[in-house]
Amino acid sequence: MPTSIETAIIVILSYLLGSIPFGLVLTKMAGLGDVREIGSGNIGATNVLRTGRKDLALATLLLDAGKGAIAVLVCAYFISAELAPLAGSAAFIGHCFPIYLKFKGGKGVATFFGTLLAINPLVAALSMMSWLLSALIFRMSSFSALIASIAAPILAFVLIPNLTWLYTLFMTLVIFIRHKDNISRILKGTEPKIGKKSDEDTNAGGGEDKGSAE
């Protein structure tokens, strides 16, 4: 069993890894300025895509997902497989509430899926399939993310014989909190559909969701 000191180290290091705002770093390195000053003001891949750089958006998506995956895999290999879900959850919290950006971070979806993929590829794949199916039916990325995040702890409970589902449920609850503005728009019927421009795409000053991120 890992000691309390080892557990604390895992949580701290994973949180700091998750706090790295790759979307902001990549856009600044590319000379595009502060991505928080365009579109929704988000640092995630969706808002990075609004810069017109698909390559940077893809890199942001992969790196944000990689934060959770790396935390899980490093913990499982070098310290304890038992604590790997905790490491992934800590990286996820770091992404959502990064210390480097005064705790104003992303919505956590990419890091959530990266964490799931490293913990159990089957659970991750089935969750992603629920996202894809929801996206095809409802044409709303945010709603699809919420559906997938609900499916994940249920799948984890059924397919993983330990308490991983509790960590997954915790991350799902945080995702819902981070999507509170999207949920409000979904209920009002004003959430943009996939492929259609929203106010965030046309107003450089940012929309009503400014300050959070994908």
Side-chain angles (χ1 to χ4, degrees):
M1 287 290 292
T3 67
S4 57
I5 294 178
E6 288 175 324
T7 301
I9 291 173
I10 290 169
V11 170
I12 292 171
L13 292 181
S14 297
Y15 170 79
L16 292 175
L17 171 63
S19 290
I20 300 173
F22 284 115
L24 178 61
V25 172
L26 290 175
T27 50
K28 282 197 171 185
M29 288 178 62
L32 299 175
D34 192 332
V35 71
R36 294 172 296 179
E37 296 178 355
I38 67 168
S40 66
N42 298 338
I43 60 170
T46 300
N47 205 41
V48 172
L49 185 60
R50 293 185 177 109
T51 65
R53 291 289 300 272
K54 294 181 180 179
D55 55 339
L56 293 183
L58 178 60
T60 299
L61 179 66
L62 294 176
L63 288 169
D64 283 347
K67 292 187 291 190
I70 290 172
V72 169
L73 295 175
V74 170
C75 179
Y77 186 81
F78 291 104
I79 303 175
S80 168
E82 179 184 359
L83 290 180
L86 175 62
S89 298
F92 167 82
I93 289 297
H95 177 77
C96 294
F97 307 100
I99 191 171
Y100 310 125
L101 299 180
K102 299 180 180 179
F103 307 105
K104 295 180 180 180
K107 293 179 180 176
V109 176
T111 309
F112 176 72
F113 279 124
T115 297
L116 285 183
L117 186 62
I119 292 174
N120 189 294
L122 179 58
V123 169
L126 292 175
S127 297
M128 291 176 187
M129 286 178 62
S130 71
W131 184 96
L132 180 60
L133 181 61
S134 299
L136 290 173
I137 295 173
F138 300 105
R139 306 297 297 172
M140 286 187 287
S141 179
S142 59
F143 184 68
S144 301
L146 294 172
I147 293 296
S149 71
I150 291 174
I154 297 173
L155 291 166
F157 181 79
V158 173
L159 297 173
I160 305 176
N162 55 38
L163 295 179
T164 295
W165 70 273
L166 283 175
Y167 293 101
T168 308
L169 178 60
F170 167 72
M171 290 187 283
T172 294
L173 293 175
V174 174
I175 285 175
F176 267 73
I177 292 171
R178 300 298 289 162
H179 280 78
K180 62 183 186 299
D181 294 318
N182 300 89
I183 293 172
S184 177
R185 291 194 293 269
I186 290 169
L187 294 175
K188 294 176 182 177
T190 58
E191 181 73 354
K193 298 292 183 74
I194 294 174
K196 293 186 178 181
K197 287 189 175 182
S198 66
D199 291 340
E200 294 171 350
D201 294 308
T202 55
N203 297 323
E208 58 191 279
D209 195 20
K210 189 175 179 71
S212 61
E214 290 82 347

